[in-house]
C-alpha cells in the first residue's frame, strides 16, 4: 500500500465501517474532510468524522431508515452528502446518489426503480424536481430531507435530522449496527448515466469496492496522506472510489469542491500531488494552456517547445522501460526547474506525481501534450459494473495511448468480434430489478461482456477501439470506430468536440465544434479581430484552418474512415444541454436528434470526388470539404 496502514482484516473481509473505526482509533488527529466556507476551509479530522457519522446515523434511524433500504441523494460535493453517505452505510442502508443534471424522466425512473422512501436533497433547485414525485402513486417516495434549511419549506431539514440524532444517539446501538455489516452486503447502487435508454442500477458490495480500492492503491505511488480534490459527482463511480472509499482505506484527506467550475481555482490554491480528470477535463485544461501559449512572444514559445521535447523524450524512455540517458536527465531537470515548473506553478500543477484519467478513450494528442510538461497521465479503463478500474497504467509499466494492464485478480479476454470480456471479484453480481432482486449479466462461465471493443498488445496492454454499440457500419459493410476518427480530428486545437456520422451511408460526415477558449487566442495571434464566436467561425482564415485540420486527419485515416463533409458549430456540448452525460461522455443519439437536419443536409447532394488519375477505382473518395 502507499501508506503502510494496518488493515482491520483481509482485503476480501473489509467493510467501510471497519475502516472508519480504524481511522478514528489510529489516525484520529489527521485531517479527513475539508470544504469551503467563506474565504477559508473548514476541516474535520477522522475522530470528528466518525463522531458526526454516528450522530447522523442515529438521526436517519429515527427517521425510519432500515437495513437494506435504498436512500436517494441529490446534492453537490458538500459535507452533508459525504457524511450522509457514510451514515447510511453504518446503518446497513444503501446510499444511491443521483446526478444533479439528470433529466426529470431519469430522476423519476430512478425513484420508481430503486423503491426508495426517502431522498436527501440540496435545496430549492432539487425540490422543484422531486416534490411532484411525492404525489406520483407509481413512486414509493414518502419524505424529502433538505440540506439548505432556508429552502426546505415544509420538508425535514438536514440540521434538524442531525439534532434529533444527537438527542437519540446511543453508542452501543451504533456499534452494534455497523458490526452486523458483512462484506457481501450491498454498499451502494450506482445508476449508469445512460448514453442510451433508462439508467440501470448497478449494485456493488463492500467486497467489490474494498478489493477495488486495495488493488488500485497497490498500483499507485503517492506520498502519505495525499490530498484528493473531489469535484466530480458522487454518482460517478470514479469519484465514489477516489473521493470516499480510497481515502477511507488510506486515511487520506478529501477536499470537497462543490462547484466543478471552481476546480481550477482549487488546484491553483492547493498545488495537489494527485489529480484525476475524465478526458474532457484534460482536453479543456490543455485548451486553456494552449490559449495562453498562443499569446506569448515567439522566443518564449520556442523555449517552452524545446522543454516540451525534452520531457517527451524522457517519457518515451520510461514508457519503453529504458534507462534514461544521463545527459537527457540533466537537460530535462534544468528545463523542468527553469521553464516548466514556473509555468505549471501558475496553474497549481507543479507538484503532481500521479495523474489519471478514465471513462473514455483519451485522445493521444492530449496525452502527448501533457507528457511534454512532465505530466504522465496514467490512463485507466473500467465501468460502473466493474467497480471502476479494470485496467490501469502505472509508473512501473505504462503505454501512452493505452489504458494499461489488468488489475490484480481480474481476468480479461477478447471475444471474436473484439468485445472485451472480464470476470473477477470486483465485477458486480448483476443489475438491480424493480423488486430488489439482482439480474445476472454474466454468461455461464462468469464472463461479463463490457460492450467496449479493444485489442491487447504483446505486453498485455489494452488499447480501446470503441463502444460495440457505437461502431458505424457503412452501406458498404465497413466497420468504422467513430471515436478513432473524432479523436484524430480533435488533435487540432481549434476543434474542441466532434461527432462522426455514417451508419448505413456510403461515407462519413461530421459535426465539429469550434473551441471557445482556443479560437479567440488563435485569432488574436494572427491579427484577426475575435468578436463573437459565431462570427469568428465564418472568418476565411478559420474556415481554411479547419479544412486543413480535417485534411490532415484524413491523411492518417483509411478511406472508409475519412470525413467527406462537415459542419462547423460554435455552441459547446455539455450535460446541461443534453449532448454529454453527467460523466461527460458523448450522447450520440441526442446529438444526432438535435442536429438531424444539419446531418441530413450533409448528404442532400450527391458527393462527387474530383477526378484523380492515380486513384484506385475500387476505393472510396478521399477529398473533404466544409458545407
Amino acid at each position: 500500500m502507499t501508506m503502510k496502514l494496518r488493515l482491520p482484516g483481509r482485503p476480501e473481509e473489509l467493510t467501510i465501517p471497519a475502516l472508519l473505526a480504524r481511522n478514528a482509533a489510529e489516525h484520529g488527529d489527521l485531517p479527513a474532510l475539508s470544504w469551503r466556507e467563506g474565504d477559508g476551509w473548514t476541516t474535520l479530522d477522522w475522530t470528528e468524522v466518525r463522531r458526526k457519522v454516528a450522530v447522523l446515523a442515529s438521526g436517519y434511524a429515527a427517521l425510519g431508515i432500515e437495513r437494506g433500504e435504498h436512500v436517494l441523494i441529490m446534492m453537490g460535493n458538500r459535507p452533508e452528502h459525504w457524511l450522509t453517505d457514510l451514515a447510511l452505510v453504518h446503518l446497513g442502508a444503501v446510499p444511491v446518489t443521483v446526478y444533479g443534471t439528470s433529466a426529470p424522466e431519469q430522476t423519476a425512473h430512478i425513484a420508481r426503480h430503486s423503491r426508495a422512501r426517502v431522498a436527501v436533497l440540496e435545496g430549492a433547485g432539487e425540490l422543484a424536481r422531486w416534490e411532484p414525485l411525492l404525489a406520483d402513486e407509481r413512486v414509493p417516495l414518502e419524505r424529502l430531507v433538505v440540506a439548505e434549511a432556508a429552502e426546505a419549506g415544509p420538508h425535514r431539514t438536514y440540521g434538524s435530522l442531525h439534532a434529533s440524532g444527537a438527542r437519540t444517539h446511543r453508542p452501543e446501538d451504533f456499534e452494534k449496527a455497523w458490526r452486523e455489516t458483512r462484506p457481501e452486503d450491498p454498499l451502494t447502487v450506482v445508476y449508469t448515466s445512460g448514453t442510451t435508454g433508462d439508467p440501470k442500477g448497478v449494485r456493488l458490495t463492500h467486497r467489490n469496492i474494498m478489493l477495488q480500492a486495495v488493488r488500485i492503491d497497490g498500483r499507485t505511488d503517492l506520498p502519505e496522506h495525499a490530498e484528493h480534490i473531489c469535484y466530480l459527482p458522487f454518482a460517478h463511480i470514479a469519484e465514489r472510489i477516489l473521493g470516499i472509499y480510497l481515502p477511507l482505506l488510506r486515511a487520506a484527506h478529501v477536499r470537497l469542491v462543490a462547484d466543478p467550475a471552481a476546480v481550477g481555482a482549487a488546484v491553483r490554491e492547493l498545488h495537489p500531488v494527485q489529480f484525476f480528470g475524465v478526458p474532457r477535463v484534460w482536453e479543456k485544461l490543455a485548451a486553456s494552456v494552449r490559449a495562453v501559449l498562443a499569446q506569448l512572444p515567439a522566443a518564449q514559445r520556442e523555449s517552452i517547445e524545446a522543454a516540451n521535447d525534452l520531457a517527451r523524450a524522457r517519457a518515451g524512455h520510461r514508457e519503453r522501460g529504458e534507462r534514461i540517458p544521463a545527459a537527457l536527465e540533466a537537460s530535462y531537470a534544468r528545463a523542468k526547474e527553469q521553464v516548466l515548473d514556473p509555468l505549471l506553478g501558475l496553474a497549481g500543477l507543479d507538484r503532481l506525481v500521479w495523474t489519471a484519467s478514465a471513462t473514455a478513450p483519451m485522445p493521444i494528442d492530449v496525452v502527448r501534450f501533457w507528457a511534454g510538461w512532465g505530466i504522465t497521465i496514467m490512463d485507466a479503463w473500467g465501468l460502473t459494473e466493474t467497480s471502476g478500474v479494470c485496467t490501469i497504467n502505472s509508473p512501473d509499466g505504462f503505454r501512452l495511448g493505452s489504458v494499461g494492464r489488468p488489475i490484480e485478480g481480474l481476468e480479461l479476454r477478447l471475444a471474436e468480434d473484439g468485445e472485451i470480456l472480464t470476470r473477477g471479484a470486483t465485477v458486480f453480481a448483476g443489475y438491480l430489478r424493480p423488486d430488489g432482486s439482482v439480474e445476472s449479466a454474466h454468461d455461464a462461465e462468469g464472463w461479463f461482456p463490457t460492450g467496449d471493443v479493444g485489442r491487447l498488445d504483446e505486453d498485455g496492454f489494452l488499447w480501446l477501439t470503441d463502444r460495440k454499440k457505437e461502431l458505424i457500419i457503412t452501406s458498404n459493410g465497413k466497420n468504422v470506430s467513430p471515436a478513432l476518427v473524432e479523436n484524430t480530428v480533435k488533435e487540432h486545437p481549434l476543434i474542441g468536440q466532434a461527432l462522426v456520422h455514417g451508419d448505413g451511408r456510403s461515407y462519413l460526415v461530421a459535426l465539429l465544434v469550434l473551441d471557445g477558449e482556443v479560437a479567440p487566442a488563435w485569432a488574436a495571434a494572427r491579427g484577426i479581430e475575435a468578436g463573437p464566436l459565431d462570427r469568428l467561425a465564418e472568418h476565411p482564415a478559420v474556415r481554411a484552418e479547419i479544412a486543413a485540420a480535417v485534411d490532415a486527419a484524413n491523411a492518417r485515416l483509411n478511406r472508409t474512415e475519412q470525413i467527406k463533409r462537415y459542419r462547423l458549430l460554435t455552441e459547446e456540448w455539455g450535460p446541461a444541454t443534453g449532448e454529454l452525460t453527467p460523466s461527460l461522455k458523448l450522447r450520440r443519439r441526442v446529438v444526432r436528434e438535435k442536429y438531424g437536419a444539419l446531418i441530413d443536409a450533409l448528404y442532400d447532394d450527391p458527393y462527387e470526388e474530383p477526378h484523380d488519375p492515380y486513384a484506385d477505382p475500387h476505393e472510396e473518395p478521399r477529398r473533404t470539404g466544409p458545407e
Side-chain angles (χ1 to χ4, degrees):
M1 295 180 64
T2 303
M3 295 179 67
K4 303 301 180 184
L5 302 179
R6 180 191 67 85
L7 289 181
R10 295 184 301 176
E12 63 273 15
E13 297 172 343
L14 295 177
T15 66
I16 288 295
L19 288 180
L20 183 56
R22 178 209 60 180
N23 290 353
E26 301 178 14
H27 311 282
D29 59 346
L30 288 176
L33 186 69
S34 296
W35 63 93
R36 274 280 187 196
E37 282 194 337
D39 295 330
W41 293 88
T42 296
T43 298
L44 300 176
D45 63 27
W46 281 109
T47 297
E48 293 167 322
V49 162
R50 192 166 193 266
R51 187 179 302 124
K52 282 191 173 291
V53 165
V55 168
L56 273 175
S58 298
Y60 281 110
L63 198 63
I65 301 299
E66 300 177 349
R67 177 171 294 276
E69 183 173 355
H70 297 144
V71 177
L72 302 173
I73 307 173
M74 184 183 274
M75 288 190 280
N77 293 21
R78 51 191 293 162
E80 296 92 339
H81 192 159
W82 201 86
L83 295 168
T84 285
D85 201 291
L86 291 182
L88 293 170
V89 168
H90 278 71
L91 287 177
V94 184
V96 183
T97 299
V98 183
Y99 282 110
T101 54
S102 295
E105 60 271 17
Q106 291 176 320
T107 301
H109 167 77
I110 293 171
R112 285 193 303 271
H113 189 269
S114 66
R115 299 168 296 110
R117 294 185 301 116
V118 175
V120 188
L121 311 177
E122 183 159 334
E126 291 71 32
L127 273 174
R129 282 181 278 172
W130 287 85
E131 281 183 321
L133 298 178
L134 292 171
D136 189 335
E137 61 182 18
R138 300 168 300 170
V139 177
L141 197 64
E142 298 172 2
R143 173 167 270 171
L144 304 178
V145 176
V146 184
E148 295 290 347
E151 301 174 4
H155 305 289
R156 187 71 180 269
T157 66
Y158 175 90
S160 69
L161 186 142
H162 187 277
S164 72
R167 291 192 303 270
T168 61
H169 178 61
R170 296 179 58 189
E172 62 272 21
D173 291 342
F174 173 73
E175 299 295 336
K176 179 178 182 294
W178 79 257
R179 290 183 187 280
E180 292 177 357
T181 299
R182 299 290 175 259
E184 61 271 18
D185 289 344
L187 170 59
T188 187
V189 171
V190 180
Y191 278 85
T192 58
S193 56
T195 54
T196 59
D198 287 329
K200 294 181 178 180
V202 176
R203 195 182 78 166
L204 300 170
T205 66
H206 288 260
R207 179 174 288 131
N208 290 147
I209 294 296
M210 289 294 88
L211 287 174
Q212 172 77 204
V214 168
R215 290 165 182 177
I216 292 177
D217 189 61
R219 296 286 290 272
T220 58
D221 186 15
L222 287 170
E224 289 192 353
H225 201 60
E227 292 184 337
H228 169 67
I229 296 178
C230 174
Y231 68 99
L232 292 171
F234 286 124
H236 194 309
I237 185 60
E239 195 64 275
R240 294 198 73 80
I241 296 290
L242 297 173
I244 303 178
Y245 307 134
L246 262 175
L248 278 158
L249 178 72
R250 293 169 167 164
H253 185 189
V254 177
R255 296 267 190 175
L256 296 174
V257 177
D259 180 6
V263 67
V267 170
R268 287 191 295 273
E269 176 189 357
L270 299 172
H271 295 255
V273 296
Q274 63 171 330
F275 186 76
F276 175 88
V278 296
R280 186 59 185 151
V281 169
W282 287 110
E283 288 175 5
K284 294 291 286 183
L285 287 172
S288 298
V289 173
R290 284 167 168 152
V292 172
L293 294 179
Q295 308 279 347
L296 298 178
Q300 189 174 359
R301 288 202 307 271
E302 289 174 4
S303 174
I304 295 169
E305 288 167 2
N308 293 156
D309 289 341
L310 289 171
R312 289 190 189 97
R314 181 177 182 274
H317 284 285
R318 291 182 60 213
E319 185 177 8
R320 295 186 295 272
E322 301 169 350
R323 183 176 178 275
I324 300 170
L328 173 60
E329 190 66 62
S331 296
Y332 168 73
R334 286 193 299 272
K336 184 177 187 299
E337 179 182 3
Q338 298 171 10
V339 180
L340 300 180
D341 279 354
L343 293 170
L344 288 172
L346 298 175
L349 302 175
D350 53 319
R351 294 178 60 233
L352 288 173
V353 297
W354 184 79
T355 51
S357 182
T359 76
M362 174 74 87
I364 188 62
D365 73 302
V366 176
V367 177
R368 296 291 180 190
F369 173 84
W370 288 111
W373 291 86
I375 295 175
T376 305
I377 299 173
M378 296 299 173
D379 209 358
W381 166 78
L383 300 90
T384 304
E385 291 89 342
T386 60
S387 308
V389 165
C390 288
T391 63
I392 188 171
N393 283 287
S394 59
D396 61 353
F398 66 91
R399 295 288 185 276
L400 296 182
S402 83
V403 291
R405 291 183 284 205
I407 62 172
E408 179 188 354
L410 193 82
E411 295 181 83
L412 209 68
R413 72 177 177 88
L414 302 181
E416 290 185 6
D417 60 359
E419 183 176 9
I420 306 164
L421 310 179
T422 186
R423 67 181 177 186
T426 54
V427 181
F428 79 141
Y431 294 108
L432 188 70
R433 292 190 180 105
D435 65 0
S437 63
V438 169
E439 179 182 1
S440 175
H442 306 75
D443 67 15
E445 296 179 346
W447 291 100
F448 171 65
T450 65
D452 283 321
V453 178
R455 64 179 178 85
L456 288 165
D457 67 19
E458 62 276 8
D459 296 317
F461 287 88
L462 179 66
W463 301 75
L464 293 186
T465 304
D466 218 312
R467 290 289 296 168
K468 183 176 179 179
K469 293 181 180 179
E470 293 176 354
L471 286 174
I472 292 171
I473 303 177
T474 69
S475 60
N476 301 318
K478 303 287 184 65
N479 286 0
V480 176
S481 162
L484 170 67
V485 180
E486 290 156 1
N487 284 342
T488 302
V489 76
K490 284 195 303 178
E491 290 187 15
H492 194 289
L494 279 181
I495 301 173
Q497 295 170 300
L499 175 132
V500 170
H501 179 80
D503 208 47
R505 301 281 193 165
S506 60
Y507 59 87
L508 303 188
V509 299
L511 299 177
L512 309 176
V513 181
L514 191 65
D515 193 292
E517 294 186 31
V518 173
W522 183 92
R526 289 155 181 79
I528 301 170
E529 184 180 351
L533 202 61
D534 55 353
R535 187 188 307 167
L536 188 58
E538 296 299 321
H539 194 283
V542 174
R543 291 174 65 83
E545 187 71 14
I546 295 295
V550 175
D551 284 339
N554 283 343
R556 296 166 50 198
L557 300 167
N558 67 45
R559 289 186 178 274
T560 303
E561 297 165 338
Q562 290 169 359
I563 299 168
K564 309 307 181 192
R565 285 186 171 134
Y566 60 88
R567 175 80 68 175
L568 186 62
L569 309 176
T570 56
E571 183 180 344
E572 183 176 350
W573 301 330
T577 48
E579 300 92 353
L580 302 185
T581 70
S583 57
L584 304 185
K585 297 176 185 175
L586 188 63
R587 280 194 170 116
R588 298 181 183 279
R589 178 183 57 80
V590 172
V591 176
R592 285 194 294 264
E593 289 176 357
K594 186 172 182 177
Y595 297 95
L598 289 181
I599 292 172
D600 289 343
L602 293 172
Y603 289 104
D604 278 350
D605 299 323
Y607 183 82
E608 294 184 5
E609 184 74 15
H611 178 64
D612 179 355
Y614 301 103
D616 184 339
H618 300 291
E619 289 188 327
E620 295 179 10
R622 184 178 184 115
R623 188 178 177 83
T624 67
E627 289 294 316

